[in-house]
Amino acid sequence: MMRWLKQLSAAIIFLISGIGAGRAQSAKPLITLEQTDPAFNAIVSKNAKATILADGFLWSEGPVWIERYKMYIFSDVKKNVIYKWTKEKGKEVYLKPSGYTGTVPRGGELGSNGLGLNIKGQLVICQDGDRVVSVMDAPLEKPKAKFIKIATNYKGKKFDSPNDLAFLTNGDIYFTDPPYGLEKNVDDPLKEAPYQGIYKIAANGKITLLVDTITRPNGIGFFPGGKTILISNSDPAKAVWYAYDLDKNGLFTRGRIFYSAQSTVKTDAGMPDGLKIDKKGNVFATGPGGIWVFNKTGKLLGKIKVNDLASNCSLSADEKTLYVTSNHRVLRVDLR
């Protein structure tokens, strides 16, 4: 009897060990690299590695690396919280509430989304739940849920849910306004504008509608020099990145498709979403399958394929590290 039990125990242990080994072998690496052009290797080393910095989020978004305080901050859009990560303390709550300050319970993407620093070094927040763009009225090192609203409506119509931001050195702020923060998306009865817009908040506070023909405007960023802007469209029917030049008044001109991911949407999960552009004009754009890397002319150099949905990214000050918000976690990718 004892011998039989020992044999059974050994068999069970072997079976469990085999299952564990199978899972380990089948587990996908955090990232894999896909080179399309040799120039990719100068931007992303063949030995690039990824690390999970923190997890446990519902949907991470809007990342910003703040060099002065060596901290990485990002939104959990569904938890209504901005988190921070530092090497010393890891994950901490940075700001709560971050995007919805109302008292009526609601669901959906109610928190903050895109984050950025203005020319004064203040934190600017796309507040999905409140449907505004605001500045945090507190120092970066002593955050408080106290806000100054800098964009609340356009010609009397509320925004849907400001999503992402781009900044010019003259103080102007550009932002996208898709419907994702509305509980019922484009069919929400609270939606006021019949389109999705991209807007400019001038340094003097004036708000201008720049374009209303992009169906799901999302990520946004300026190329070096501030003369051309890139915008992602998170629409499965038109998954593309658009480029526009700016005229002397900061308005859009010469709109064109920078790159189309339409064919890849059918095979890889994800949409064109958040993006960052480095000092040389190279683009790191989240899209189907992970991070797409382009040069400034729109040539695809390669991809950093991520084993989960990637929503946005942020570069370190020396541009050797890429921070990625990826669904329920955030990653650090050592590029080179």
Side-chain angles (χ1 to χ4, degrees):
M1 185 69 172
M2 288 300 294
R3 186 176 179 182
W4 179 82
L5 286 173
K6 287 180 180 179
Q7 290 175 336
L8 179 62
S9 296
I12 291 172
I13 290 170
F14 177 80
L15 179 61
I16 292 172
S17 299
I19 291 172
R23 284 177 178 170
Q25 290 173 358
S26 64
K28 293 182 179 179
L30 292 175
I31 61 168
T32 53
L33 305 181
E34 186 179 283
Q35 177 188 308
T36 305
D37 187 276
F40 183 69
N41 291 335
I43 302 169
V44 183
S45 165
K46 293 180 180 179
N47 299 317
K49 295 181 180 179
T51 305
I52 297 176
L53 294 183
D55 60 14
F57 313 108
L58 293 181
W59 182 247
S60 57
E61 251 287 8
V64 177
W65 173 258
I66 302 179
E67 178 68 14
R68 180 179 176 184
Y69 298 104
K70 296 293 189 291
M71 68 178 177
Y72 174 48
I73 64 172
F74 52 93
S75 302
D76 189 328
V77 185
K78 295 185 178 181
K79 285 188 178 180
N80 201 16
V81 176
I82 294 174
Y83 288 92
K84 78 171 181 178
W85 178 91
T86 58
K87 184 178 180 180
E88 295 74 22
K89 295 185 177 181
K91 177 181 74 173
E92 298 177 272
V93 171
Y94 179 77
L95 188 67
K96 181 180 180 179
S98 65
Y100 180 58
T101 59
T103 57
V104 177
R106 56 152 292 178
E109 298 183 355
L110 75 166
S112 58
N113 201 313
L115 309 172
L117 302 182
N118 64 15
I119 58 173
K120 296 179 181 179
Q122 299 169 300
L123 181 63
V124 184
I125 307 172
C126 287
Q127 297 185 298
D128 278 8
D130 286 348
R131 303 170 65 178
V132 300
V133 178
S134 297
V135 173
M136 182 178 72
D137 190 18
L140 292 175
E141 71 277 18
K142 295 180 181 179
K144 294 181 181 179
K146 185 179 178 184
F147 308 107
I148 300 170
K149 297 176 182 179
I150 59 173
T152 60
N153 68 87
Y154 178 69
K155 294 187 175 179
K157 294 186 182 298
K158 285 185 178 181
F159 302 118
D160 285 357
S161 53
N163 186 280
D164 210 351
L165 304 153
F167 301 81
L168 284 179
T169 55
N170 66 358
D172 292 351
I173 300 172
Y174 290 64
F175 71 93
T176 55
D177 186 37
Y180 302 125
L182 297 174
E183 290 186 85
K184 296 182 179 180
N185 212 290
V186 290
D187 297 320
D188 199 293
L190 297 179
K191 180 174 171 59
E192 297 188 8
Y195 54 82
Q196 308 307 139
I198 300 169
Y199 300 88
K200 179 182 79 166
I201 309 169
N204 64 8
K206 181 182 177 182
I207 297 173
T208 303
L209 173 63
L210 300 167
V211 66
D212 62 3
T213 55
I214 297 180
T215 50
R216 295 293 183 274
N218 200 323
I220 187 169
F222 283 105
F223 284 93
K227 301 296 184 182
T228 303
I229 197 167
L230 187 65
I231 298 159
S232 63
N233 190 36
S234 300
D235 185 343
K238 205 166 188 179
V240 301
W241 290 273
Y242 293 98
Y244 291 86
D245 293 335
L246 271 63
D247 67 16
K248 63 180 182 179
N249 297 311
L251 305 180
F252 287 0
T253 184
R254 209 172 74 85
R256 63 226 181 246
I257 291 177
F258 181 79
Y259 200 92
S260 174
Q262 193 58 48
S263 61
T264 316
V265 168
K266 300 174 183 178
T267 57
D268 293 339
M271 290 287 150
D273 203 324
L275 59 90
K276 293 296 181 291
I277 302 174
D278 72 13
K279 296 170 186 175
K280 294 182 179 180
N282 298 308
V283 180
F284 296 81
T286 58
I291 312 291
W292 297 47
V293 181
F294 306 98
N295 69 10
K296 61 184 178 182
T297 66
K299 184 177 184 180
L300 178 63
L301 305 180
K303 299 176 185 179
I304 305 170
K305 304 205 80 172
V306 182
N307 71 354
D308 201 348
L309 292 172
S311 63
N312 211 330
C313 58
S314 179
L315 287 161
S316 61
D318 63 6
E319 301 187 336
K320 293 182 179 180
T321 304
L322 185 71
Y323 297 93
V324 181
T325 48
S326 175
N327 202 349
H328 60 86
R329 66 202 181 168
V330 292
L331 311 177
R332 180 182 65 211
V333 180
D334 299 317
L335 297 173
R336 56 189 185 277

